[in-house]
Amino acid sequence: MMDQAEQLRRLIRQQEHQTQQLARVITVTSGKGGVGKSSIAVNLAVQMRRLGKRVVVLDADFGLANVEVMLGVRPQFNLADLMFRGKTLAETITEGPEGIGFISGGSGIHELARMTREQVIYLTQKLAELDSVADIILIDTGAGIADTVLEFVAASSEVLLVATPEPTSITDAYALLKTLNRRADFSRESTSIKMISNRIRNEAEGRNLYDKMSLIVNKFLNIQPEFMGMIPQDDTVSKAVMQQRPVTLAYPQSPAAKAMQAIAAKLCDDPEPEVKRGITGLFSELIRTKIKKARSRKEEN
């Protein structure tokens, strides 16, 4: 007899097949907070939009409102309103600068395991709409190795890992990949991990940071991250945050802005993953994982 997790997985796959287009989903994460992850996600979104892509940012960093502060927007509704309170996708997406879309995760992700079959059908229909209205969906996760972070990363086809030269950032980034590698729901073969060296003093430091990380994770975890580029330490980034504007708009000629423009262009030029799940597929993995965990906890008790 098919268990609930498998039933829901098949249900969502049926919805996926009915969708003509799947968005490219890139999950932006880091081993620790304070390394510039949210700023990078926001600025990449703006620059990808300028390159002609339809972009939506999903803020999955629950409890914090970094993305909406950096964009200078305040959403009226969030993902939980879409899932449980009958709000439409159009009502849930807030328009940000340059026409990018923004969705606040709210408490929606925590409630996935408690969804009924009807709620799953409704959610997948709405996510199928999102797949059709966006070319690229950038997910800004929380920092660290909390379950909510690792579940998103494990379910993603493309992961953008942000690290700085600080020793704690390097060790925490490695800890994230090490913990991820131990998860049953993570597949090295179907996940592309890309790395950005942030807040570096010079090009040599940025390259050294990547080389150091690449060597250790390849040796001990059999993961080969791709180097996406480096962003210099730049005071205009913090100034832009204070103004609640992306630095690529507030200070477009600054070194950090130019570096983010280059990374956005490189990402857009990169070939898309062979396994393209879209946002619908990503959420199918999240739901399946959460249901299995909930069931395990019940069996333990």
Side-chain angles (χ1 to χ4, degrees), residues 38 59 61-71 73 75 102 104:
S38 297
D59 187 357
D61 192 353
F62 313 112
L64 297 176
N66 287 342
V67 172
E68 62 187 76
V69 169
M70 291 177 182
L71 289 174
V73 300
F102 167 64
S104 171

Side-chain angles (χ1 to χ4, degrees), residues 66 75 80 83 110 113 115 162 180 201 247 249 280 288 293:
N66 287 342
M83 291 164 56
H110 294 297
M115 293 175 68
V162 180
L180 179 69
R201 290 173 296 183
V247 70
L249 297 182
T280 318
R288 184 176 65 90
K293 283 188 176 180

Side-chain angles (χ1 to χ4, degrees), residues 191-238:
T191 308
S192 171
I193 295 178
K194 308 168 192 285
M195 181 178 158
I196 292 177
S197 299
N198 192 29
R199 297 178 184 160
I200 51 104
R201 290 173 296 183
N202 52 55
E203 189 172 330
E205 184 178 55
R207 184 49 127 178
N208 182 58
L209 172 57
Y210 165 73
D211 289 342
K212 191 182 298 184
M213 277 293 299
S214 179
L215 180 66
I216 192 169
V217 300
N218 192 23
K219 180 178 181 180
F220 295 106
L221 307 180
N222 196 28
I223 295 173
Q224 182 58 61
E226 178 185 353
F227 189 43
M228 291 309 299
M230 57 192 82
I231 302 168
Q233 176 67 43
D234 190 339
D235 291 341
T236 63
V237 176
S238 56

Side-chain angles (χ1 to χ4, degrees), residues 31-52:
K32 69 185 290 290
V35 300
K37 168 182 58 63
S38 297
S39 175
I40 288 171
V42 164
N43 281 282
L44 289 180
V46 169
Q47 293 308 308
M48 288 173 167
R49 182 71 189 96
R50 286 190 159 186
L51 291 169

Side-chain angles (χ1 to χ4, degrees), residues 24-259:
R24 180 180 179 183
V25 180
I26 303 174
T27 298
V28 187
T29 193
S30 63
K32 69 185 290 290
V35 300
K37 168 182 58 63
S38 297
S39 175
I40 288 171
V42 164
N43 281 282
L44 289 180
V46 169
Q47 293 308 308
M48 288 173 167
R49 182 71 189 96
R50 286 190 159 186
L51 291 169
K53 305 295 184 181
R54 299 172 300 166
V55 186
V56 172
V57 179
L58 171 60
D59 187 357
D61 192 353
F62 313 112
L64 297 176
N66 287 342
V67 172
E68 62 187 76
V69 169
M70 291 177 182
L71 289 174
V73 300
R74 178 168 291 184
Q76 186 176 1
F77 303 112
N78 59 38
L79 188 63
D81 294 307
L82 175 73
M83 291 164 56
F84 305 112
R85 299 177 190 102
K87 296 303 177 183
T88 66
L89 184 66
E91 289 175 310
T92 310
I93 298 178
T94 303
E95 185 172 343
E98 301 287 308
I100 67 171
F102 167 64
I103 299 177
S104 171
S107 62
I109 306 303
H110 294 297
E111 301 176 45
L112 286 175
R114 297 190 288 109
M115 293 175 68
T116 65
R117 184 177 186 275
E118 290 72 24
Q119 286 172 329
V120 171
I121 293 173
Y122 178 79
L123 176 62
T124 53
Q125 289 172 340
K126 296 303 174 185
L127 291 174
E129 288 179 33
L130 184 54
D131 266 327
S132 66
V133 301
D135 299 311
I136 298 173
I137 299 170
L138 288 167
I139 299 177
D140 181 39
T141 73
I145 57 174
D147 269 352
T148 51
V149 175
L150 291 169
E151 286 166 0
F152 263 107
V153 177
S156 301
S157 299
E158 281 185 272
V159 177
L160 198 55
L161 178 66
V162 180
T164 70
E166 295 176 9
T168 52
S169 174
I170 298 170
T171 55
D172 288 346
Y174 175 73
L176 183 146
L177 293 179
K178 182 179 179 181
T179 308
L180 179 69
N181 201 45
R182 291 174 173 171
R183 292 178 64 97
D185 55 346
F186 172 68
S187 169
R188 286 192 301 268
E189 291 74 23
S190 58
T191 308
S192 171
I193 295 178
K194 308 168 192 285
M195 181 178 158
I196 292 177
S197 299
N198 192 29
R199 297 178 184 160
I200 51 104
R201 290 173 296 183
N202 52 55
E203 189 172 330
E205 184 178 55
R207 184 49 127 178
N208 182 58
L209 172 57
Y210 165 73
D211 289 342
K212 191 182 298 184
M213 277 293 299
S214 179
L215 180 66
I216 192 169
V217 300
N218 192 23
K219 180 178 181 180
F220 295 106
L221 307 180
N222 196 28
I223 295 173
Q224 182 58 61
E226 178 185 353
F227 189 43
M228 291 309 299
M230 57 192 82
I231 302 168
Q233 176 67 43
D234 190 339
D235 291 341
T236 63
V237 176
S238 56
K239 289 179 182 178
V241 171
M242 293 299 292
Q243 298 171 26
Q244 294 188 270
R245 295 185 67 201
V247 70
T248 52
L249 297 182
Y251 302 96
Q253 298 306 312
S254 66
K258 289 182 177 180

